Amino acid sequence: MTNLKVKLVCAAMCLTGCGMMGGGGGFLPGGIGGPKVPPLYGPYEVQGDLIKIGLGAREMKAQVSIEVPPDKAYAPMDISARGANFDAAAAQVKKAMDELKKIGSTAGCGFKITGYVPPNSGDNKTWKAAGSVEVWADLANQDPEARITRANTCFKALHEYLIALPKDDGKVPEFFSIDRPSIYPAIAYTVENLEKHRDALIKQADDRLNAVSKANAKMWDHADMQCTSAGVITIASANSHAVTLQLEMYCPVSTAESATK
């Protein structure tokens, strides 16, 4: 585990993309997953040319982020199906999945089943089943123009297939429909392996904090703190150009040494 030993003011006020959560920020006693430390910790207050530590929270949250190219674009879809019996409804879901699997079989593209709900019926006459899938484009190690070409290759046939699907008139006993989930974009971009970028995030945090620690020490009033690299990596935003990865580190904070110099 890599430790970043830095001056408290670095994360408190001097870093771009660095955040702080004070007493009302929702930390549990002892911090979330952090070491057990003395209780005299908390938010920061600027008093003249001094930064003073108050009481309350025991940890602060520091954030750093980097942008990396996306290595996957995917189109999530929901399948709804019905049939006159259990087998017929199940067969409709399979039929829809098989059609989408064909589209995803193009070189550089892919298909994945992400969920399935077996048939059920309330009246033993109409049975309903459901599923969810992704058709995706492999964008890893490609420049922006190549990513556009690959995305077009994988998703053009998908869009044409969805547009051509028959509409439900309620008269056909066996039927399936495919819809975009309302909470997702039509095409989403992502990084498959977040952990492989951890070292780059840690280095950025280390470089920034070390740079700020060389500033005028008269400005702060505190002991050192420890920011651990064992933070959580999340995707803050994503598009075809870049995926923003964010690392949140929880930092035990030392009590103020003195309010006077």
Side-chain angles (χ1 to χ4, degrees), residues 8-37:
L8 178 58
V9 71
C10 303
M13 62 184 294
C14 298
L15 289 180
T16 301
C18 213
M20 181 274 289
M21 189 169 288
F27 288 124
L28 298 175
I32 302 175
K36 301 304 178 184
V37 292

Side-chain angles (χ1 to χ4, degrees), residues 233-249:
I233 301 175
T234 58
I235 295 178
S237 63
N239 56 41
S240 62
H241 174 68
V243 177
T244 301
L245 302 181
Q246 181 172 279
L247 174 67
E248 293 186 349
M249 299 174 291

Side-chain angles (χ1 to χ4, degrees), residues 190-249:
T190 190
V191 172
E192 289 289 270
N193 184 357
L194 299 181
E195 284 300 315
K196 76 176 184 179
H197 298 286
R198 181 178 291 275
D199 287 348
L201 283 159
I202 293 300
K203 183 180 185 305
Q204 182 195 71
D206 193 30
D207 290 346
R208 289 183 176 181
L209 294 170
N210 285 338
V212 175
S213 70
K214 298 174 184 177
N216 183 5
K218 185 179 178 182
M219 282 294 294
W220 44 90
D221 174 27
H222 57 76
D224 288 341
M225 74 172 182
Q226 296 279 339
C227 276
T228 177
S229 64
V232 177
I233 301 175
T234 58
I235 295 178
S237 63
N239 56 41
S240 62
H241 174 68
V243 177
T244 301
L245 302 181
Q246 181 172 279
L247 174 67
E248 293 186 349
M249 299 174 291

Side-chain angles (χ1 to χ4, degrees), residues 116-253:
Y116 177 65
V117 178
N120 62 84
S121 175
D123 57 9
N124 204 30
K125 295 180 180 179
T126 301
W127 290 72
K128 296 181 180 180
S132 58
V133 304
E134 291 177 1
V135 172
W136 49 270
D138 183 3
L139 308 180
N141 303 315
Q142 298 190 41
D143 61 34
E145 291 186 0
R147 291 199 294 268
I148 292 172
T149 299
R150 176 64 57 80
N152 287 341
T153 298
C154 296
F155 297 127
K156 180 182 178 181
L158 172 64
H159 292 317
E160 291 175 344
Y161 171 75
L162 294 177
I163 291 172
L165 281 174
K167 305 301 180 183
D168 186 9
D169 59 9
K171 299 178 181 179
V172 181
E174 297 180 357
F175 186 85
F176 71 82
S177 62
I178 302 175
D179 300 298
R180 307 279 196 186
S182 58
I183 62 173
Y184 289 101
I187 305 296
Y189 294 86
T190 190
V191 172
E192 289 289 270
N193 184 357
L194 299 181
E195 284 300 315
K196 76 176 184 179
H197 298 286
R198 181 178 291 275
D199 287 348
L201 283 159
I202 293 300
K203 183 180 185 305
Q204 182 195 71
D206 193 30
D207 290 346
R208 289 183 176 181
L209 294 170
N210 285 338
V212 175
S213 70
K214 298 174 184 177
N216 183 5
K218 185 179 178 182
M219 282 294 294
W220 44 90
D221 174 27
H222 57 76
D224 288 341
M225 74 172 182
Q226 296 279 339
C227 276
T228 177
S229 64
V232 177
I233 301 175
T234 58
I235 295 178
S237 63
N239 56 41
S240 62
H241 174 68
V243 177
T244 301
L245 302 181
Q246 181 172 279
L247 174 67
E248 293 186 349
M249 299 174 291
Y250 292 99
C251 309
V253 179

Side-chain angles (χ1 to χ4, degrees), residues 49-155:
D49 62 350
L50 295 177
I51 295 174
K52 186 176 181 181
I53 301 174
L55 304 178
R58 298 182 178 187
E59 291 184 332
M60 61 159 288
K61 181 174 68 175
Q63 297 177 341
V64 292
S65 63
I66 60 173
E67 287 189 347
V68 299
D71 53 29
K72 180 180 179 182
Y74 63 95
M77 285 162 289
D78 290 335
I79 299 170
S80 300
R82 69 168 182 266
N85 53 54
F86 186 103
D87 291 340
Q92 286 296 301
V93 175
K94 185 178 185 306
K95 180 179 179 181
M97 289 182 173
D98 287 346
E99 292 295 323
L100 294 172
K101 187 176 182 178
K102 291 178 184 177
I103 296 172
S105 65
T106 304
C109 310
F111 167 83
K112 180 172 70 174
I113 297 173
T114 56
Y116 177 65
V117 178
N120 62 84
S121 175
D123 57 9
N124 204 30
K125 295 180 180 179
T126 301
W127 290 72
K128 296 181 180 180
S132 58
V133 304
E134 291 177 1
V135 172
W136 49 270
D138 183 3
L139 308 180
N141 303 315
Q142 298 190 41
D143 61 34
E145 291 186 0
R147 291 199 294 268
I148 292 172
T149 299
R150 176 64 57 80
N152 287 341
T153 298
C154 296
F155 297 127

